[in-house]
Amino acid sequence: MYVFVVSKVTEEKSPDATRKAMKDSFEAPPPVITFSGHRMNSTKGLRRQKRDWVIPPINVAENSRGPFPQMLVSIRSDQDQDISIRYSITGVGADQPPNEVFNIDPVHGKMFVTKPLDREHRSSYHLRAHAVDMNGNQVENPIDLYIFVIDMNDNRPEFKNQVYNGSVDEGSKPGTFVMHLAAFDADDNTTANGMVRYRILSQTPHSPIPNMFTINSETGDIVTVAPGLDREKVSQYTVIVQATDMEGNLNFGLSNTATAIITVSDINDSPPMLTSRTFSGEVPENRVDVVVANLTVIDADQPHSPNWNAIYRIISGDPSGHFTIRTDPVSNDGMVTVVKPVDFEMNRAFMLTVVVSNQAHLASGIQSSLQSTAGVTISVQDVNEAPYFPTNPKHIRFEEGVPAGTSLTTFSASDPDRLQMQQIIRYSKLNDPADWLSINRSNGQIVTTAVLDRESIYVKNNIYEATFLATDNGSPPASGTGTLQIYLIDINDNPPALIPKESQICERINKNVHGVNITAADADTDPNAGPFVFELPNFPSSIRRNWTISRISGDYGRLGLRYQVYLEPGMYEVPVIVSDSGNPPLSNRSLIKVKVCPCDENGDCTTLGAVAAAGLGTGAIISILICIIILLSMVLLFVVWIKRREKERQTKQLLIDPEDDVRDNILKYDEEGGGEEDQDYDLSQLQQPDSLEHIISKPPGVRRVDERPIIPESQYPIRPVVPHPGDIGDFIHEGLRAADNDPTAPPYDSLLVFDYEGSGSTAGSVSSLNSSSTGDQDYDYLNDWGPRFKKLADMYGGGYED
């Protein structure tokens, strides 16, 4: 057996013990590890040694096929010759999860591995070996055991993705980076087992050459190795990449593959080219938003990308900006569009020079094509244009009040079609709100048809507006509109009107209220309105004797009673003359209704005073109050009479005796005595006979009294045709006596048969049924009586369901 003696460490014990890899042959016998260090002395106790042993690591190959348990090392103490020693190990893999990967023979100290190890799961184990005597006392200090799992090439390289996407610009130079691929190997990357190498297996397509790309065997970077990438020819490449461990050794290494899709990105290396050097179109004059020509272009770059999108520009031939070129987003064509009306009389045709370019700049070294420029000829079509008013709207000023028939102005239109045959223009009125104007159809002269009034509702801000129509005789006819605005200058044609129309004033002068403030309203404007002059007329003389007007300001005055003048309460109409400031001034005699009434200390009319002021005297007021009292008394008497009549109606006796009154009473017709059980009746008498033989065969004097006797009917007396009044009583008594003695007359003095149920009925007498509700009785037997008694069985036999 081997004894491993390795380097010593000082008593400070460095935390990183020296580890020496040992790769001996697996067939060699396991080493023997001897405890050394502290010794147990019975007299001196524990004695510390100044040197200790460093145990070399134990190497175990992963995925070993056994047999198991497989011995790894033998541990022994140099005291095992003196005393019995027991050995044990602790740590992960022994007494800690994963448990029982390693165990030890407690007597001989042989340590075993019990199963195959996986380095990718755990690459090393740290155990401690213990030696104790039979009493469990520590004989030796624990020693550290390091077990390293030797890697085997049991894992293939794995790509994170099966498909990788990369891109490279077309026209890229050799050595241009394209993309990066990486594979991971779970084996030890410090050994050949985990060292991965890359290579390209295939490239599709092979254009322009089969090997357009290469890959760095160690890093996995794919780069270009040849020029000639052209997206317009090949837009995408598919490359199969292989990763192999064992440093790429195909004989011993494990391999895996992945796919790299390389997209050739477009660059603007194809300038747009117009399909023709010249284009043409035509447009009617005065039309806008009309496409007049369509420019087609060819571009080999990727469609709908900035390298393909075309931009058109007009570089000459349109100084006024009548046209623009818009790009069709689908076809990439250029649409020449009119954005400003063109005039045939000004320009009959346009010669445009158009250049096309891409949204993105051309790639470095790419020159523009000569076919990027073209000429566009636009012809203008002459159409019949509408006449137009040179001054629109036209402003004129006139004083209001001009009489009808006054010529205001000539509102004429011009025809823009100068190159066509001279056309005739006719005028008409389109909108004249107040119907004040007329226009001459030939020359456009405007004449008034009514007096112009500035105060009309159709005048806004002193301006009256009318619209006229000018129509030519072209083909087709065209028309234009013009607006005439007349500024009406105000004249003094409206007298002022007094405001307010009604007011009230105290019958005596009050210190707080001195009169009624009045003003005036004038439809005219300055200087034909205020300031106003307020005056009282000379006639009648009582006006100036009782009333007075004082001036407050230019537009206001005050109407009041003269001092020491007392007027009876009532309504007074006071005439007031109001004059404006026009030249000449206009005056207006207006009436203001003034209510004179008694007032309180605040100057407000009292309630009685207000009534008196309305024109009613004291006598009239008293009369009205008396009428109201009489009316209320009549209403009260009528209500009392209605209540009393209702009470009498409730207490009045009925015309018939209450016992004979059938309303809400129970009528007693007859007493039938006791029930069927109390009488001895022959129930057979209730049955209808099948034949009359038994009746005929009965001896005289014996018969059923509930049926019509078979005997001759009695003879009743006949009433005389012309009875005598004295014979009426005799006739009635004789008829009564005959009816009483007639055996054939109903009701035959017996029970009557109302129904017949047939002979031999199986139903017994119903007299045994007890109608009393007292006591408990079983009615279930009613269910056995057939369908006729089903309802009765349901009612008394518990047939109702909850």
PDB file of all heavy atoms in Angstrom, residues 482-511:
ATOM      1  N   GLY A 482     -71.779  90.032 -58.242  1.00  0.00           N
ATOM      2  CA  GLY A 482     -71.145  91.215 -57.686  1.00  0.00           C
ATOM      3  C   GLY A 482     -71.991  91.781 -56.576  1.00  0.00           C
ATOM      4  O   GLY A 482     -73.228  91.706 -56.613  1.00  0.00           O
ATOM      5  N   THR A 483     -71.364  92.357 -55.576  1.00  0.00           N
ATOM      6  CA  THR A 483     -72.059  92.893 -54.406  1.00  0.00           C
ATOM      7  C   THR A 483     -71.908  94.405 -54.380  1.00  0.00           C
ATOM      8  O   THR A 483     -70.795  94.940 -54.513  1.00  0.00           O
ATOM      9  CB  THR A 483     -71.489  92.290 -53.120  1.00  0.00           C
ATOM     10  OG1 THR A 483     -71.632  90.867 -53.162  1.00  0.00           O
ATOM     11  CG2 THR A 483     -72.218  92.821 -51.896  1.00  0.00           C
ATOM     12  N   LEU A 484     -73.060  95.079 -54.211  1.00  0.00           N
ATOM     13  CA  LEU A 484     -73.090  96.539 -54.099  1.00  0.00           C
ATOM     14  C   LEU A 484     -73.430  96.887 -52.660  1.00  0.00           C
ATOM     15  O   LEU A 484     -74.446  96.446 -52.129  1.00  0.00           O
ATOM     16  CB  LEU A 484     -74.125  97.137 -55.051  1.00  0.00           C
ATOM     17  CG  LEU A 484     -74.293  98.663 -54.985  1.00  0.00           C
ATOM     18  CD1 LEU A 484     -73.018  99.362 -55.440  1.00  0.00           C
ATOM     19  CD2 LEU A 484     -75.496  99.117 -55.821  1.00  0.00           C
ATOM     20  N   GLN A 485     -72.584  97.701 -52.040  1.00  0.00           N
ATOM     21  CA  GLN A 485     -72.795  98.137 -50.671  1.00  0.00           C
ATOM     22  C   GLN A 485     -73.035  99.650 -50.666  1.00  0.00           C
ATOM     23  O   GLN A 485     -72.168 100.422 -51.081  1.00  0.00           O
ATOM     24  CB  GLN A 485     -71.597  97.785 -49.788  1.00  0.00           C
ATOM     25  CG  GLN A 485     -71.415  96.289 -49.583  1.00  0.00           C
ATOM     26  CD  GLN A 485     -70.251  95.965 -48.672  1.00  0.00           C
ATOM     27  OE1 GLN A 485     -69.374  96.806 -48.452  1.00  0.00           O
ATOM     28  NE2 GLN A 485     -70.244  94.740 -48.147  1.00  0.00           N
ATOM     29  N   ILE A 486     -74.230 100.035 -50.186  1.00  0.00           N
ATOM     30  CA  ILE A 486     -74.618 101.452 -50.155  1.00  0.00           C
ATOM     31  C   ILE A 486     -74.547 101.926 -48.710  1.00  0.00           C
ATOM     32  O   ILE A 486     -75.278 101.413 -47.847  1.00  0.00           O
ATOM     33  CB  ILE A 486     -76.040 101.634 -50.704  1.00  0.00           C
ATOM     34  CG1 ILE A 486     -76.161 101.006 -52.102  1.00  0.00           C
ATOM     35  CG2 ILE A 486     -76.416 103.100 -50.734  1.00  0.00           C
ATOM     36  CD1 ILE A 486     -77.574 101.020 -52.636  1.00  0.00           C
ATOM     37  N   TYR A 487     -73.695 102.915 -48.469  1.00  0.00           N
ATOM     38  CA  TYR A 487     -73.602 103.526 -47.149  1.00  0.00           C
ATOM     39  C   TYR A 487     -74.605 104.669 -47.109  1.00  0.00           C
ATOM     40  O   TYR A 487     -74.499 105.648 -47.852  1.00  0.00           O
ATOM     41  CB  TYR A 487     -72.194 104.031 -46.868  1.00  0.00           C
ATOM     42  CG  TYR A 487     -72.028 104.561 -45.462  1.00  0.00           C
ATOM     43  CD1 TYR A 487     -71.640 103.715 -44.431  1.00  0.00           C
ATOM     44  CD2 TYR A 487     -72.270 105.912 -45.161  1.00  0.00           C
ATOM     45  CE1 TYR A 487     -71.494 104.188 -43.139  1.00  0.00           C
ATOM     46  CE2 TYR A 487     -72.133 106.389 -43.879  1.00  0.00           C
ATOM     47  CZ  TYR A 487     -71.749 105.521 -42.860  1.00  0.00           C
ATOM     48  OH  TYR A 487     -71.613 106.007 -41.582  1.00  0.00           O
ATOM     49  N   LEU A 488     -75.637 104.558 -46.233  1.00  0.00           N
ATOM     50  CA  LEU A 488     -76.701 105.544 -46.134  1.00  0.00           C
ATOM     51  C   LEU A 488     -76.354 106.579 -45.078  1.00  0.00           C
ATOM     52  O   LEU A 488     -76.128 106.236 -43.906  1.00  0.00           O
ATOM     53  CB  LEU A 488     -78.025 104.843 -45.796  1.00  0.00           C
ATOM     54  CG  LEU A 488     -78.537 103.860 -46.857  1.00  0.00           C
ATOM     55  CD1 LEU A 488     -79.803 103.178 -46.386  1.00  0.00           C
ATOM     56  CD2 LEU A 488     -78.777 104.583 -48.177  1.00  0.00           C
ATOM     57  N   ILE A 489     -76.312 107.820 -45.528  1.00  0.00           N
ATOM     58  CA  ILE A 489     -76.017 108.933 -44.616  1.00  0.00           C
ATOM     59  C   ILE A 489     -77.318 109.365 -43.959  1.00  0.00           C
ATOM     60  O   ILE A 489     -78.340 109.554 -44.620  1.00  0.00           O
ATOM     61  CB  ILE A 489     -75.383 110.110 -45.392  1.00  0.00           C
ATOM     62  CG1 ILE A 489     -74.098 109.627 -46.100  1.00  0.00           C
ATOM     63  CG2 ILE A 489     -75.080 111.272 -44.461  1.00  0.00           C
ATOM     64  CD1 ILE A 489     -73.502 110.677 -47.032  1.00  0.00           C
ATOM     65  N   ASP A 490     -77.298 109.535 -42.654  1.00  0.00           N
ATOM     66  CA  ASP A 490     -78.500 109.828 -41.896  1.00  0.00           C
ATOM     67  C   ASP A 490     -78.944 111.260 -42.119  1.00  0.00           C
ATOM     68  O   ASP A 490     -78.124 112.185 -42.205  1.00  0.00           O
ATOM     69  CB  ASP A 490     -78.238 109.577 -40.404  1.00  0.00           C
ATOM     70  CG  ASP A 490     -79.486 109.788 -39.566  1.00  0.00           C
ATOM     71  OD1 ASP A 490     -80.553 109.299 -39.987  1.00  0.00           O
ATOM     72  OD2 ASP A 490     -79.383 110.421 -38.501  1.00  0.00           O
ATOM     73  N   ILE A 491     -80.289 111.412 -42.219  1.00  0.00           N
ATOM     74  CA  ILE A 491     -80.905 112.737 -42.199  1.00  0.00           C
ATOM     75  C   ILE A 491     -81.920 112.743 -41.068  1.00  0.00           C
ATOM     76  O   ILE A 491     -82.342 111.685 -40.584  1.00  0.00           O
ATOM     77  CB  ILE A 491     -81.582 113.072 -43.552  1.00  0.00           C
ATOM     78  CG1 ILE A 491     -82.721 112.079 -43.832  1.00  0.00           C
ATOM     79  CG2 ILE A 491     -80.563 113.072 -44.686  1.00  0.00           C
ATOM     80  CD1 ILE A 491     -83.510 112.439 -45.084  1.00  0.00           C
ATOM     81  N   ASN A 492     -82.351 113.962 -40.671  1.00  0.00           N
ATOM     82  CA  ASN A 492     -83.258 114.093 -39.541  1.00  0.00           C
ATOM     83  C   ASN A 492     -84.697 113.867 -40.037  1.00  0.00           C
ATOM     84  O   ASN A 492     -85.433 114.812 -40.320  1.00  0.00           O
ATOM     85  CB  ASN A 492     -83.109 115.466 -38.896  1.00  0.00           C
ATOM     86  CG  ASN A 492     -83.810 115.531 -37.542  1.00  0.00           C
ATOM     87  OD1 ASN A 492     -84.083 114.501 -36.928  1.00  0.00           O
ATOM     88  ND2 ASN A 492     -84.085 116.748 -37.079  1.00  0.00           N
ATOM     89  N   ASP A 493     -85.059 112.581 -40.105  1.00  0.00           N
ATOM     90  CA  ASP A 493     -86.391 112.246 -40.609  1.00  0.00           C
ATOM     91  C   ASP A 493     -87.219 111.493 -39.573  1.00  0.00           C
ATOM     92  O   ASP A 493     -88.295 110.971 -39.899  1.00  0.00           O
ATOM     93  CB  ASP A 493     -86.292 111.406 -41.875  1.00  0.00           C
ATOM     94  CG  ASP A 493     -85.484 110.142 -41.661  1.00  0.00           C
ATOM     95  OD1 ASP A 493     -84.784 110.035 -40.628  1.00  0.00           O
ATOM     96  OD2 ASP A 493     -85.545 109.246 -42.522  1.00  0.00           O
ATOM     97  N   ASN A 494     -86.761 111.419 -38.325  1.00  0.00           N
ATOM     98  CA  ASN A 494     -87.511 110.722 -37.281  1.00  0.00           C
ATOM     99  C   ASN A 494     -87.587 111.596 -36.046  1.00  0.00           C
ATOM    100  O   ASN A 494     -86.552 111.962 -35.457  1.00  0.00           O
ATOM    101  CB  ASN A 494     -86.837 109.399 -36.915  1.00  0.00           C
ATOM    102  CG  ASN A 494     -86.896 108.397 -38.049  1.00  0.00           C
ATOM    103  OD1 ASN A 494     -87.913 107.754 -38.265  1.00  0.00           O
ATOM    104  ND2 ASN A 494     -85.793 108.286 -38.785  1.00  0.00           N
ATOM    105  N   PRO A 495     -88.806 111.983 -35.630  1.00  0.00           N
ATOM    106  CA  PRO A 495     -88.937 112.784 -34.403  1.00  0.00           C
ATOM    107  C   PRO A 495     -88.672 111.911 -33.177  1.00  0.00           C
ATOM    108  O   PRO A 495     -88.853 110.691 -33.221  1.00  0.00           O
ATOM    109  CB  PRO A 495     -90.383 113.269 -34.439  1.00  0.00           C
ATOM    110  CG  PRO A 495     -91.105 112.219 -35.220  1.00  0.00           C
ATOM    111  CD  PRO A 495     -90.116 111.731 -36.265  1.00  0.00           C
ATOM    112  N   PRO A 496     -88.271 112.550 -32.095  1.00  0.00           N
ATOM    113  CA  PRO A 496     -88.020 111.757 -30.877  1.00  0.00           C
ATOM    114  C   PRO A 496     -89.328 111.306 -30.229  1.00  0.00           C
ATOM    115  O   PRO A 496     -90.373 111.920 -30.416  1.00  0.00           O
ATOM    116  CB  PRO A 496     -87.251 112.712 -29.979  1.00  0.00           C
ATOM    117  CG  PRO A 496     -87.675 114.072 -30.436  1.00  0.00           C
ATOM    118  CD  PRO A 496     -87.932 113.981 -31.919  1.00  0.00           C
ATOM    119  N   ALA A 497     -89.263 110.210 -29.481  1.00  0.00           N
ATOM    120  CA  ALA A 497     -90.416 109.668 -28.756  1.00  0.00           C
ATOM    121  C   ALA A 497     -90.106 109.679 -27.272  1.00  0.00           C
ATOM    122  O   ALA A 497     -88.994 109.351 -26.837  1.00  0.00           O
ATOM    123  CB  ALA A 497     -90.723 108.248 -29.218  1.00  0.00           C
ATOM    124  N   LEU A 498     -91.127 110.107 -26.481  1.00  0.00           N
ATOM    125  CA  LEU A 498     -90.934 110.258 -25.041  1.00  0.00           C
ATOM    126  C   LEU A 498     -90.866 108.894 -24.360  1.00  0.00           C
ATOM    127  O   LEU A 498     -91.602 107.966 -24.698  1.00  0.00           O
ATOM    128  CB  LEU A 498     -92.084 111.074 -24.457  1.00  0.00           C
ATOM    129  CG  LEU A 498     -91.952 111.470 -22.974  1.00  0.00           C
ATOM    130  CD1 LEU A 498     -90.790 112.431 -22.790  1.00  0.00           C
ATOM    131  CD2 LEU A 498     -93.254 112.093 -22.490  1.00  0.00           C
ATOM    132  N   ILE A 499     -90.003 108.792 -23.383  1.00  0.00           N
ATOM    133  CA  ILE A 499     -89.847 107.599 -22.553  1.00  0.00           C
ATOM    134  C   ILE A 499     -89.750 108.058 -21.097  1.00  0.00           C
ATOM    135  O   ILE A 499     -88.980 108.992 -20.792  1.00  0.00           O
ATOM    136  CB  ILE A 499     -88.580 106.814 -22.937  1.00  0.00           C
ATOM    137  CG1 ILE A 499     -88.684 106.319 -24.388  1.00  0.00           C
ATOM    138  CG2 ILE A 499     -88.374 105.621 -22.002  1.00  0.00           C
ATOM    139  CD1 ILE A 499     -87.424 105.605 -24.852  1.00  0.00           C
ATOM    140  N   PRO A 500     -90.524 107.472 -20.173  1.00  0.00           N
ATOM    141  CA  PRO A 500     -91.449 106.352 -20.317  1.00  0.00           C
ATOM    142  C   PRO A 500     -92.842 106.816 -20.699  1.00  0.00           C
ATOM    143  O   PRO A 500     -93.134 108.011 -20.701  1.00  0.00           O
ATOM    144  CB  PRO A 500     -91.443 105.731 -18.923  1.00  0.00           C
ATOM    145  CG  PRO A 500     -91.233 106.887 -18.014  1.00  0.00           C
ATOM    146  CD  PRO A 500     -90.337 107.846 -18.748  1.00  0.00           C
ATOM    147  N   LYS A 501     -93.736 105.862 -20.959  1.00  0.00           N
ATOM    148  CA  LYS A 501     -95.105 106.178 -21.307  1.00  0.00           C
ATOM    149  C   LYS A 501     -95.992 106.303 -20.071  1.00  0.00           C
ATOM    150  O   LYS A 501     -97.014 106.968 -20.131  1.00  0.00           O
ATOM    151  CB  LYS A 501     -95.668 105.082 -22.219  1.00  0.00           C
ATOM    152  CG  LYS A 501     -94.933 104.973 -23.546  1.00  0.00           C
ATOM    153  CD  LYS A 501     -95.092 106.245 -24.377  1.00  0.00           C
ATOM    154  CE  LYS A 501     -94.416 106.101 -25.738  1.00  0.00           C
ATOM    155  NZ  LYS A 501     -94.542 107.337 -26.556  1.00  0.00           N
ATOM    156  N   GLU A 502     -95.605 105.642 -18.981  1.00  0.00           N
ATOM    157  CA  GLU A 502     -96.384 105.689 -17.751  1.00  0.00           C
ATOM    158  C   GLU A 502     -95.441 105.847 -16.578  1.00  0.00           C
ATOM    159  O   GLU A 502     -94.293 105.354 -16.625  1.00  0.00           O
ATOM    160  CB  GLU A 502     -97.219 104.417 -17.571  1.00  0.00           C
ATOM    161  CG  GLU A 502     -98.319 104.236 -18.596  1.00  0.00           C
ATOM    162  CD  GLU A 502     -99.155 103.018 -18.318  1.00  0.00           C
ATOM    163  OE1 GLU A 502     -98.861 102.324 -17.315  1.00  0.00           O
ATOM    164  OE2 GLU A 502    -100.109 102.744 -19.080  1.00  0.00           O
ATOM    165  N   SER A 503     -95.979 106.499 -15.492  1.00  0.00           N
ATOM    166  CA  SER A 503     -95.197 106.647 -14.269  1.00  0.00           C
ATOM    167  C   SER A 503     -96.161 107.025 -13.154  1.00  0.00           C
ATOM    168  O   SER A 503     -97.374 107.132 -13.366  1.00  0.00           O
ATOM    169  CB  SER A 503     -94.096 107.693 -14.448  1.00  0.00           C
ATOM    170  OG  SER A 503     -93.296 107.741 -13.294  1.00  0.00           O
ATOM    171  N   GLN A 504     -95.628 107.227 -11.991  1.00  0.00           N
ATOM    172  CA  GLN A 504     -96.456 107.626 -10.851  1.00  0.00           C
ATOM    173  C   GLN A 504     -95.722 108.680 -10.043  1.00  0.00           C
ATOM    174  O   GLN A 504     -94.486 108.762 -10.073  1.00  0.00           O
ATOM    175  CB  GLN A 504     -96.791 106.419  -9.980  1.00  0.00           C
ATOM    176  CG  GLN A 504     -95.594 105.779  -9.291  1.00  0.00           C
ATOM    177  CD  GLN A 504     -95.978 104.556  -8.472  1.00  0.00           C
ATOM    178  OE1 GLN A 504     -97.039 103.999  -8.666  1.00  0.00           O
ATOM    179  NE2 GLN A 504     -95.106 104.177  -7.545  1.00  0.00           N
ATOM    180  N   ILE A 505     -96.546 109.474  -9.317  1.00  0.00           N
ATOM    181  CA  ILE A 505     -95.980 110.574  -8.565  1.00  0.00           C
ATOM    182  C   ILE A 505     -96.838 110.783  -7.325  1.00  0.00           C
ATOM    183  O   ILE A 505     -98.031 110.443  -7.310  1.00  0.00           O
ATOM    184  CB  ILE A 505     -95.928 111.851  -9.423  1.00  0.00           C
ATOM    185  CG1 ILE A 505     -95.058 112.923  -8.755  1.00  0.00           C
ATOM    186  CG2 ILE A 505     -97.327 112.379  -9.713  1.00  0.00           C
ATOM    187  CD1 ILE A 505     -94.825 114.128  -9.657  1.00  0.00           C
ATOM    188  N   CYS A 506     -96.226 111.295  -6.253  1.00  0.00           N
ATOM    189  CA  CYS A 506     -96.961 111.520  -5.014  1.00  0.00           C
ATOM    190  C   CYS A 506     -97.851 112.762  -5.174  1.00  0.00           C
ATOM    191  O   CYS A 506     -97.502 113.734  -5.871  1.00  0.00           O
ATOM    192  CB  CYS A 506     -96.003 111.731  -3.852  1.00  0.00           C
ATOM    193  SG  CYS A 506     -94.989 110.267  -3.499  1.00  0.00           S
ATOM    194  N   GLU A 507     -99.027 112.690  -4.505  1.00  0.00           N
ATOM    195  CA  GLU A 507     -99.978 113.792  -4.622  1.00  0.00           C
ATOM    196  C   GLU A 507     -99.449 115.062  -3.984  1.00  0.00           C
ATOM    197  O   GLU A 507     -99.891 116.157  -4.306  1.00  0.00           O
ATOM    198  CB  GLU A 507    -101.313 113.397  -3.990  1.00  0.00           C
ATOM    199  CG  GLU A 507    -101.215 113.084  -2.503  1.00  0.00           C
ATOM    200  CD  GLU A 507    -102.562 112.654  -1.927  1.00  0.00           C
ATOM    201  OE1 GLU A 507    -103.549 112.733  -2.663  1.00  0.00           O
ATOM    202  OE2 GLU A 507    -102.596 112.266  -0.752  1.00  0.00           O
ATOM    203  N   ARG A 508     -98.516 114.888  -3.044  1.00  0.00           N
ATOM    204  CA  ARG A 508     -97.878 116.045  -2.435  1.00  0.00           C
ATOM    205  C   ARG A 508     -96.374 115.921  -2.635  1.00  0.00           C
ATOM    206  O   ARG A 508     -95.824 114.819  -2.738  1.00  0.00           O
ATOM    207  CB  ARG A 508     -98.212 116.155  -0.943  1.00  0.00           C
ATOM    208  CG  ARG A 508     -99.709 116.302  -0.677  1.00  0.00           C
ATOM    209  CD  ARG A 508    -100.000 116.474   0.806  1.00  0.00           C
ATOM    210  NE  ARG A 508    -101.434 116.528   1.066  1.00  0.00           N
ATOM    211  CZ  ARG A 508    -102.180 117.625   0.940  1.00  0.00           C
ATOM    212  NH1 ARG A 508    -101.607 118.771   0.597  1.00  0.00           N
ATOM    213  NH2 ARG A 508    -103.474 117.587   1.193  1.00  0.00           N
ATOM    214  N   ILE A 509     -95.700 117.031  -2.657  1.00  0.00           N
ATOM    215  CA  ILE A 509     -94.247 117.030  -2.887  1.00  0.00           C
ATOM    216  C   ILE A 509     -93.567 116.338  -1.717  1.00  0.00           C
ATOM    217  O   ILE A 509     -93.832 116.654  -0.550  1.00  0.00           O
ATOM    218  CB  ILE A 509     -93.726 118.469  -3.060  1.00  0.00           C
ATOM    219  CG1 ILE A 509     -94.346 119.094  -4.310  1.00  0.00           C
ATOM    220  CG2 ILE A 509     -92.219 118.492  -3.139  1.00  0.00           C
ATOM    221  CD1 ILE A 509     -93.929 120.547  -4.529  1.00  0.00           C
ATOM    222  N   ASN A 510     -92.733 115.394  -2.019  1.00  0.00           N
ATOM    223  CA  ASN A 510     -92.005 114.613  -1.010  1.00  0.00           C
ATOM    224  C   ASN A 510     -90.541 115.018  -1.067  1.00  0.00           C
ATOM    225  O   ASN A 510     -89.976 115.248  -2.155  1.00  0.00           O
ATOM    226  CB  ASN A 510     -92.166 113.115  -1.281  1.00  0.00           C
ATOM    227  CG  ASN A 510     -91.657 112.265  -0.130  1.00  0.00           C
ATOM    228  OD1 ASN A 510     -90.470 112.264   0.160  1.00  0.00           O
ATOM    229  ND2 ASN A 510     -92.567 111.543   0.517  1.00  0.00           N
ATOM    230  N   LYS A 511     -89.957 115.072   0.103  1.00  0.00           N
ATOM    231  CA  LYS A 511     -88.552 115.504   0.147  1.00  0.00           C
ATOM    232  C   LYS A 511     -87.624 114.511  -0.521  1.00  0.00           C
ATOM    233  O   LYS A 511     -86.524 114.848  -0.950  1.00  0.00           O
ATOM    234  CB  LYS A 511     -88.112 115.748   1.591  1.00  0.00           C
ATOM    235  CG  LYS A 511     -88.180 114.491   2.460  1.00  0.00           C
ATOM    236  CD  LYS A 511     -87.714 114.773   3.874  1.00  0.00           C
ATOM    237  CE  LYS A 511     -87.779 113.504   4.746  1.00  0.00           C
ATOM    238  NZ  LYS A 511     -87.303 113.781   6.120  1.00  0.00           N
TER     239      LYS A 511
END
